[in-house]
Amino acid sequence: IAIGVGCVVLDELHVLGNTFNGYLLEILISKIRYYETLVRQSPQQLENRIQLVGLSATMGNVKQLAEWMGAQLYCTDFRPVPLTEHIVAGNQLTVLAGTERRVVQELALPSTPATTDPDK
C-alpha cells in the first residue's frame, strides 16, 4: 500500500456479495486492515494510517460488516435527490411512491410487432 494514502472510499460496498468479483474487494479490505495492524504497532508510522469509508444504499448486513471491518456504523435515510421508481407494464408508465401506484402516462406502443426484416 502506497505511503501517503490517507483515506480509501469503497463505494457500492454491496459488491462484496457478488460471486464474480466480490472476493477482490474483500482481499483489498483485508490487506488494508492488515496494513493498519502493522502501522498501529509502530508509533513512527502513525501518520501513515488509512481510513476506510464504505458506502452502500442496498446492504442488509451492515452491522456484521462494520464489525468485520472494525468500523463505526453510520446509517442515514437522507437523499439529496429523491428516489423515484417507475414501472412500464403494457402501455402504461406507472410511478411508485411508497405503497401508492399512479399511472402517469399512456405509452404509444405499436399494436403489432414488426413482421418484416429491417435488414432486407
Side-chain angles (χ1 to χ4, degrees):
I1 297 179
I3 293 183
V5 174
C7 181
V8 175
V9 178
L10 306 165
D11 195 10
E12 307 295 340
L13 200 54
H14 58 270
V15 170
L16 277 167
N18 183 316
T19 57
F20 179 68
N21 57 5
Y23 74 96
L24 295 171
L25 185 54
E26 185 175 344
I27 290 170
L28 174 66
I29 294 168
S30 297
K31 286 184 176 187
I32 293 171
R33 292 199 64 229
Y34 176 71
Y35 174 80
E36 275 294 297
T37 62
L38 297 178
V39 167
R40 283 191 199 117
Q41 295 171 3
S42 174
Q44 305 92 325
Q45 295 292 319
L46 287 180
E47 70 274 2
N48 294 325
R49 296 204 58 192
I50 297 175
Q51 178 183 14
L52 282 175
V53 177
L55 307 171
S56 178
T58 60
M59 288 194 75
N61 60 338
V62 291
K63 285 184 180 181
Q64 183 182 17
L65 181 64
E67 288 174 10
W68 175 72
M69 289 179 67
Q72 292 180 358
L73 179 61
Y74 175 77
C75 295
T76 181
D77 292 334
F78 173 74
R79 293 193 70 84
V81 176
L83 180 63
T84 308
E85 296 179 79
H86 295 79
I87 296 176
V88 174
N91 66 338
Q92 294 181 332
L93 175 63
T94 303
V95 174
L96 301 177
T99 58
E100 183 182 327
R101 294 178 185 205
R102 183 172 43 94
V103 175
V104 292
Q105 185 176 353
E106 296 287 333
L107 303 173
L109 301 176
S111 57
T112 58
T115 56
T116 58
D117 186 350
D119 294 329
K120 289 184 178 179

